[in-house]
Amino acid sequence: MLPSGPTLRHVLVVGVDGVRFDLLGPDTTPAIWALGRDGFVAPVVIDASTPTMSGPCWATIVTGTGVAGHRITGNDLTGHRLADHPDFVTVATRAGLPTLLAVSGWPPLALPQDGGPMFAEASRREFVAVAENSMAAWDEADESITRLAAGILVTDGPRLSFVYLGAVDAAGHLAGAGDVYRAAALATDRRVGRLLAAVRSRPSFAREGWTVVVVTDHGHLDRGGHGGREAEVATAWVAAAGPGIVPGGPSLVTRQDQVAPLVLAALD
Ligand SMILES: [Zn+2]
């Protein structure tokens, strides 16, 4: 049970694709690490019935139901049962809350492509396409969506926002989990920091009861790629802080299907 706050609660969820748990640290991902200090950061082992792919993992994270419910087993979402298991942005939007969906690079999250969109409804929907499958193009798309989302967070302060950044996963596929991958993770962490700074810069921030969640879908092999059950691939993670989350306290999430309930509970 969350303590009641003076005003309406707000939640920002940042989805960072394909960031290995063993990469997190005070130097490698300082903003995410600091968020963990303010609340918790914890590994989340992907359920054995869930392919370690973005489609099924994100679907479980944002709906709170597993593959048996949403029926998404790959990155083509065709045949999904999301109408029976809507994502948390759609649930909040249907409850009348102002929401934001801001996605970089991967169409089926936000657009009617490849069986999408995974997110059915949002008050405001932003998508920045990736011009080509290169690190420069992914970096540019993540940068654009971060700038756009930060501006909306400052001016509008939606009750629930989901911002998706894809450059780290792209780096893993293009170059393996080496220097390029670590550089992409640090750039992504700085973008997470900017989104957090945008929230904290709101004049009404102290009264708004913000919960911030940063979450990944799966990891990567050393050589790049995922889909199997290796520990570095099948270990995802969640970091979160906000009202009702005790700093340094127990992790409130040990499974991917516990993220959506945490998000919706934080909205009170
Ligand atoms: Zn991937």
Side-chain angles (χ1 to χ4, degrees), residues 194-236:
R194 283 162 56 198
L195 294 169
L196 267 161
V199 162
R200 288 172 179 150
S201 76
R202 290 175 56 76
S204 47
F205 168 73
R207 302 192 305 275
E208 289 180 331
W210 283 81
T211 297
V212 178
V213 179
V214 185
V215 55
T216 200
D217 53 344
H218 56 67
H220 260 277
L221 296 170
D222 288 345
R223 66 173 185 274
H226 50 88
R229 292 298 307 174
E230 301 86 353
E232 64 273 32
V233 167
T235 308

Side-chain angles (χ1 to χ4, degrees), residues 10-17 32 35 57-58 60-63 87-89 92 99-104 109 119 145-146 149-150 153 158-165 191-192 195-196 199 210-217 237-241 245 253 256 258-267:
H10 294 66
V11 180
L12 166 64
V13 183
V14 187
V16 293
D17 203 300
I32 294 166
L35 183 72
C57 289
W58 284 121
T60 298
I61 290 164
V62 306
T63 67
D87 65 277
F88 50 56
V89 176
T99 58
L100 167 66
L101 175 68
V103 173
S104 165
L109 287 177
F119 292 85
I145 206 72
T146 300
L153 286 166
R159 292 286 303 283
L160 173 58
S161 304
F162 181 80
V163 182
Y164 171 87
L165 304 174
R191 290 179 179 127
V192 170
L195 294 169
L196 267 161
V199 162
W210 283 81
T211 297
V212 178
V213 179
V214 185
V215 55
T216 200
D217 53 344
W237 52 267
V238 176
I245 299 175
V253 175
Q256 289 185 312
Q258 292 172 327
V259 177
L262 173 83
V263 167
L264 292 171
L267 281 171

Side-chain angles (χ1 to χ4, degrees), residues 63-253:
T63 67
T65 190
V67 168
H70 57 64
R71 304 283 178 90
I72 293 171
T73 55
N75 288 344
D76 187 322
L77 316 187
T78 304
H80 68 68
R81 299 280 292 273
L82 294 170
D84 296 334
H85 306 281
D87 65 277
F88 50 56
V89 176
T90 296
V91 171
T93 306
R94 288 177 181 163
L97 307 187
T99 58
L100 167 66
L101 175 68
V103 173
S104 165
W106 192 40
L109 287 177
L111 304 178
Q113 289 184 30
D114 299 328
M118 187 178 292
F119 292 85
E121 294 181 27
S123 313
R124 183 161 180 180
R125 182 180 299 260
E126 302 286 350
F127 179 77
V128 175
V130 173
E132 57 172 31
N133 191 23
S134 70
M135 273 321 296
W138 272 99
D139 190 60
E140 196 177 313
D142 277 12
E143 178 61 23
S144 295
I145 206 72
T146 300
R147 197 181 313 123
L148 192 57
I152 294 167
L153 286 166
V154 171
T155 56
D156 299 346
R159 292 286 303 283
L160 173 58
S161 304
F162 181 80
V163 182
Y164 171 87
L165 304 174
V168 179
D169 185 63
H173 289 292
L174 288 165
D179 290 345
V180 173
Y181 182 80
R182 280 190 288 275
L186 183 57
T188 296
D189 183 81
R190 290 196 175 117
R191 290 179 179 127
V192 170
R194 283 162 56 198
L195 294 169
L196 267 161
V199 162
R200 288 172 179 150
S201 76
R202 290 175 56 76
S204 47
F205 168 73
R207 302 192 305 275
E208 289 180 331
W210 283 81
T211 297
V212 178
V213 179
V214 185
V215 55
T216 200
D217 53 344
H218 56 67
H220 260 277
L221 296 170
D222 288 345
R223 66 173 185 274
H226 50 88
R229 292 298 307 174
E230 301 86 353
E232 64 273 32
V233 167
T235 308
W237 52 267
V238 176
I245 299 175
V246 179
S251 167
L252 302 181
V253 175

